[in-house]
């Protein structure tokens, strides 16, 4: 792919990915305030944005075999843990941005778990097996992730067990 087209596809992928996520967040907010049809509209359009993002990533050659996709996921999570979030936390502290500091710290702690979960899954896939994973619970407040039963209180943000979503 020629450079200008590649850069355009990367920008389009980023924009569509952000729109997908933004619309899902907006849908949750609409639902919380009793606007069920608005929530459904945001959710539907979010899916369309996901389709666009998928097509752009495919055009970029960014979707590989499962083992390759897991390797990319591990690389991304490790970058966030080792470089990105530690820097973001420090800048937020320096600038006394408490909400940004908390958000980045929570993400940093959750990303450590994600990287390890992806590593274990990659080992299984490379051995020709599916990963053996039980129920996964995500804290809806900070993103803390746990396999099996959720704790009574989130170890990152102290949210109650009821704030965990099962996957």
């Amino acid at each position: 792919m020629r450079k200008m087209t590649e850069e355009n596809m990367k920008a389009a992928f980023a924009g569509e990915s952000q729109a997908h996520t933004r619309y899902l967040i907006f849908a949750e907010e609409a639902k919380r305030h009793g606007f069920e049809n608005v929530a459904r509209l945001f959710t539907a359009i979010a899916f369309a944005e996901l389709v666009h993002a998928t097509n752009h990533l495919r055009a970029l050659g960014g979707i590989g075999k499962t083992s390759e996709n897991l390797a990319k996921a591990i690389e991304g999570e490790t970058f966030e843990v080792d470089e990105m979030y530690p820097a973001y936390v420090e800048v937020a502290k320096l600038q006394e941005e408490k909400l940004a500091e908390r958000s980045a710290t929570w993400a940093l702690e959750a990303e450590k778990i994600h990287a390890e979960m992806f590593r274990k899954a990659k080992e299984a896939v490379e051995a020709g097996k599916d990963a053996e994973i039980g129920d996964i619970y995500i804290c809806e407040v900070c993103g803390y992730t746990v396999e099996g039963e959720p704790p009574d209180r989130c170890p990152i943000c102290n949210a109650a067990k009821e704030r965990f979503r099962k996957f």
Side-chain angles (χ1 to χ4, degrees):
M1 182 175 289
R2 294 179 62 176
K3 194 68 175 165
M4 183 178 268
T5 298
E6 180 183 10
E7 293 305 314
N8 289 344
M9 285 287 95
K10 286 179 180 178
F13 173 70
E16 297 289 355
S17 298
Q18 289 177 18
H20 168 74
T21 302
R22 184 180 314 111
Y23 294 165
L24 290 178
I25 293 166
F26 291 172
E28 289 294 319
E29 188 70 12
K31 186 181 289 185
R32 191 171 21 260
H33 289 96
F35 300 107
E36 292 294 325
N37 286 332
V38 173
R40 191 167 48 85
L41 175 63
F42 274 126
T43 302
I45 303 302
F47 178 74
E49 305 298 4
L50 176 62
V51 170
H52 300 158
T54 301
N55 290 338
H56 297 332
L57 187 59
R58 187 170 283 115
L60 285 163
I63 302 172
K65 293 180 179 172
T66 300
S67 182
E68 296 165 341
N69 295 338
L70 285 164
K72 287 178 188 176
I74 293 164
E75 181 181 322
E77 299 292 323
T78 302
F79 166 76
E80 291 172 348
V81 168
D82 292 346
E83 297 182 42
M84 187 179 89
Y85 281 124
Y88 288 4
V89 168
E90 291 307 313
V91 170
K93 280 182 187 176
L94 178 69
Q95 297 184 340
E96 298 178 0
E97 297 287 351
K98 298 294 183 198
L99 289 176
E101 179 185 348
R102 181 178 71 188
S103 181
T105 299
W106 286 353
L108 170 63
E109 294 307 313
E111 302 297 4
K112 292 174 184 176
I113 298 162
H114 302 164
E116 185 56 32
M117 292 176 93
F118 282 139
R119 276 188 201 89
K120 288 179 182 176
K122 187 173 184 291
E123 288 174 11
V125 168
E126 289 179 346
K129 299 182 281 187
D130 194 2
E132 292 185 23
I133 301 172
D135 292 338
I136 299 171
Y137 287 87
I138 308 288
C139 175
E140 294 177 332
V141 176
C142 71
Y144 172 74
T145 306
V146 62
E147 181 183 354
E149 285 298 310
D152 289 332
R153 305 296 295 184
C154 177
I156 295 176
C157 71
N158 203 36
K161 183 177 189 171
E162 296 74 34
R163 298 298 307 268
F164 280 76
R165 185 179 297 186
K166 180 180 176 181
F167 292 86

